[in-house]
Amino acid sequence: MRALQIRELLSDHAGAALADLPVPLPGPGEVRVRVRAAAVNFPDLLMTGGGYQLKPDLPFVSGLEFAGEVDAVGEGVDGWAPGDAVIGGNRFGAMAEYAVVPAANLRRKPERLSWDEAAAYPVAYLTAYVALVRCARVEPGEWVLVHGAAGGVGLATVDLAKALGARVIAAASSAEKREAIARLYAPDAVISAGPGFRDEVKALTGGKGADVIFDPVGGDIFDESTRCIAFGGRLLVIGFASGRIAEVSVNMPLIKGFSVVGVRAGEYGRRFPDRGAENVAAIDALAAAGKIRPHVHAALDLADWREGFAMLERREVVGKVVLKP
């Protein structure tokens, strides 16, 4: 089978290459899936150079999430049969023609989603759901400011926030991205992420500020966000794409009455398995009803993986990139 294998941890993905590997066999409790599409995520890029907290034993196959069809089931697996359309993943192994994962890591593919959309869906929308529902407890009519709104997780958050009845302000760095966000999801406002966005947020919210701020960027974006958050607001820390981990003097959340909340969707599900299952069921139900739909920026053949990685590195992607093994 074709697979994107990481043989050495090197810069510029130099240790990654397409390989012809044996088709893996599912063990007890495992399922083998014929992968139709695998999403590209930033951790995939980082793992090729050893820059991510998870460092699998070498060699390993890249890829966190996929969509495909059940091909074979291991001993003791109930509920899955060859031909079932599924989504799921593992911490690696998705960027191959076949992937073997624990049966518990799979769920039914929402029928409304194509293979490409389904592959682009699980990680981004789960993060958005945990952030907005579990951590922020967003209410209909509240103002939600989404930074990095063109990225995979950011765009999912724009989509989900609208489905939850929030009023959404999407912030993105370029005019092209802002035009795409407006066209795809029609948030209440689309603004520049450049310095001074706090004034625009305050104007849009009648001087109140945003009730919820979703921040995967950090750095200067976080700093300025503390200046346009509403009293009682929730500032969600998703990541630090800017490269700088911001700090806040605790007198600011005291005086302005806001909370700073860290969001780790995967860890949330591991800590609270029952709630984790509810989260997954909730986003699947929204997808099945057509209330949310992921956007695929590009679908490339697996042989073009380097171009897919480069699209993320150039920060030109609106939504997600998927690879087709």
Side-chain angles (χ1 to χ4, degrees):
M1 67 172 188
R2 289 197 309 169
L4 179 59
Q5 188 180 52
I6 315 304
R7 298 167 181 166
E8 296 181 82
L9 301 180
L10 299 173
S11 61
D12 195 32
H13 320 303
L18 281 185
D20 188 9
L21 303 179
V23 175
L25 297 174
E30 294 181 330
V31 174
R32 185 172 69 207
V33 176
R34 172 64 175 96
V35 177
R36 298 300 180 186
V40 181
N41 293 282
F42 268 108
D44 300 322
L45 280 61
L46 296 173
M47 286 170 67
T48 70
Y52 193 61
Q53 56 260 40
L54 175 66
K55 296 177 174 60
D57 293 335
L58 293 169
F60 66 92
V61 173
S62 189
L64 297 174
E65 57 182 340
F66 60 77
E69 298 161 313
V70 171
D71 179 71
V73 298
E75 181 181 351
V77 173
D78 294 318
W80 296 113
D84 288 343
V86 295
I87 57 177
N90 209 349
R91 292 184 166 186
F92 51 91
M95 294 179 184
E97 290 184 275
Y98 294 90
V100 169
V101 298
N105 288 22
L106 297 177
R107 61 190 201 259
R108 305 282 174 183
K109 180 181 81 68
E111 290 186 7
R112 287 177 179 267
L113 301 185
S114 68
W115 292 121
D116 296 346
E117 291 170 334
Y121 164 75
V123 170
Y125 279 82
L126 181 61
T127 301
Y129 189 88
V130 171
L132 294 177
V133 176
R134 295 297 189 177
C135 295
R137 296 181 173 86
V138 68
E139 296 288 343
E142 287 194 307
W143 283 101
V144 176
L145 169 61
V146 181
H147 290 298
V153 175
L155 200 61
T157 303
V158 170
D159 189 17
L160 179 60
K162 282 182 59 67
L164 295 172
R167 292 182 286 181
V168 181
I169 304 170
S173 58
S174 72
E176 293 78 12
K177 289 180 178 179
R178 293 192 292 272
E179 290 169 4
I181 294 166
R183 182 180 71 254
L184 292 167
Y185 294 112
D188 295 86
V190 183
I191 66 174
S192 170
F197 67 79
R198 66 180 181 178
D199 296 327
E200 197 160 1
V201 171
K202 286 185 176 181
L204 287 164
T205 59
K208 172 188 173 184
D211 299 291
V212 176
I213 300 179
F214 181 94
D215 178 21
V217 182
D220 294 345
I221 293 292
F222 179 93
D223 295 343
E224 191 166 341
S225 291
T226 65
R227 306 289 181 177
C228 62
I229 190 165
F231 190 90
R234 291 81 81 199
L235 206 170
L236 304 173
V237 178
I238 316 301
F240 316 103
S242 70
R244 179 170 73 84
I245 298 175
E247 298 179 355
V248 61
S249 297
V250 293
N251 65 308
M252 291 195 65
L254 170 64
I255 293 169
K256 300 192 70 175
F258 70 86
S259 303
V260 178
V261 186
V263 178
R264 294 183 63 198
E267 186 64 19
Y268 187 95
R270 288 187 285 272
R271 298 262 180 169
F272 310 110
D274 290 344
R275 281 181 252 170
E278 291 171 1
N279 298 341
V280 168
I283 60 173
D284 285 353
L286 288 167
K291 294 182 178 179
I292 54 175
R293 180 174 290 276
H295 176 66
V296 177
H297 180 88
L300 307 174
D301 187 88
L302 182 62
D304 298 319
W305 67 270
R306 186 170 283 279
E307 175 57 21
F309 281 26
M311 286 180 176
L312 267 70
E313 290 169 329
R314 294 192 298 260
R315 301 191 182 279
E316 66 186 40
V317 175
V318 176
K320 298 289 282 284
V321 172
V322 301
L323 300 177
K324 303 175 77 67

